[in-house]
Amino acid sequence: MSNINNNGVDMNKKTLAELSFTAVKELNDEMAATCSGGDVGGPDPDVLLFKDPNQTGQSLGLNSKTGEGIANIGLDNEGNDNGFNDQTSSIRILRGSWNFFSDSDFKGQSTGVLGPGNYALGANNDNITSALRVAA
């Protein structure tokens, strides 16, 4: 069975590039994070925060585009803890470079910039409230 469009082109025998669609574009990770809302959760996180050491225990995924972040991890709009504020013991960064802070709005003690990898928090254990993506 062929799939002939209105212009007589057999869609089954062409790639997107060959069809020259101007409205179709492959998204890179940065753009995909932006389109997904750059927020807590989501199916394809850039960062995973874990409540326990060695990337174990309950986890929370974060997505954000460069220059933005999550100002209040685990806090609701009234500033009440909903389960993850000051609870992070280890981090796995999948994409980008991130900086994590002890206070909301990217203030307080910082982890410094961390790139992809697994991290124990040491002095910052159970002390993370905000996260800022600083590079792709």
Side-chain angles (χ1 to χ4, degrees):
M1 177 179 170
S2 68
N3 184 10
I4 308 296
N5 71 9
N6 292 339
N7 296 322
V9 176
D10 187 344
M11 303 294 283
N12 291 328
K13 299 194 181 214
K14 299 281 185 177
T15 66
L16 288 177
E18 291 171 325
L19 292 170
S20 300
F21 284 138
T22 57
V24 176
K25 179 179 178 185
E26 186 169 338
L27 302 178
N28 62 24
D29 291 337
E30 192 74 19
M31 183 58 73
T34 301
C35 293
S36 68
D39 203 15
V40 175
D44 188 24
D46 297 326
V47 172
L48 292 169
L49 306 180
F50 294 88
K51 284 194 174 183
D52 296 329
N54 302 314
Q55 293 73 44
T56 61
Q58 184 180 353
S59 66
L60 177 70
L62 306 178
N63 290 67
S64 189
K65 63 183 179 178
T66 301
E68 296 185 4
I70 314 304
N72 297 299
I73 296 169
L75 299 179
D76 64 18
N77 291 335
E78 287 78 40
N80 301 309
D81 182 15
N82 63 11
F84 240 90
N85 182 44
D86 293 337
Q87 298 292 314
T88 302
S89 294
S90 58
I91 298 172
R92 176 175 295 144
I93 300 176
L94 304 169
R95 284 180 292 279
S97 294
W98 292 74
N99 199 345
F100 300 90
F101 300 87
S102 61
D103 297 332
S104 63
D105 301 317
F106 322 115
K107 297 177 183 165
Q109 185 176 355
S110 163
T111 60
V113 176
L114 304 173
N118 294 326
Y119 298 92
L121 290 178
N124 291 309
N125 187 53
D126 292 343
N127 199 27
I128 298 294
T129 300
S130 59
L132 178 66
R133 187 169 182 174
V134 295

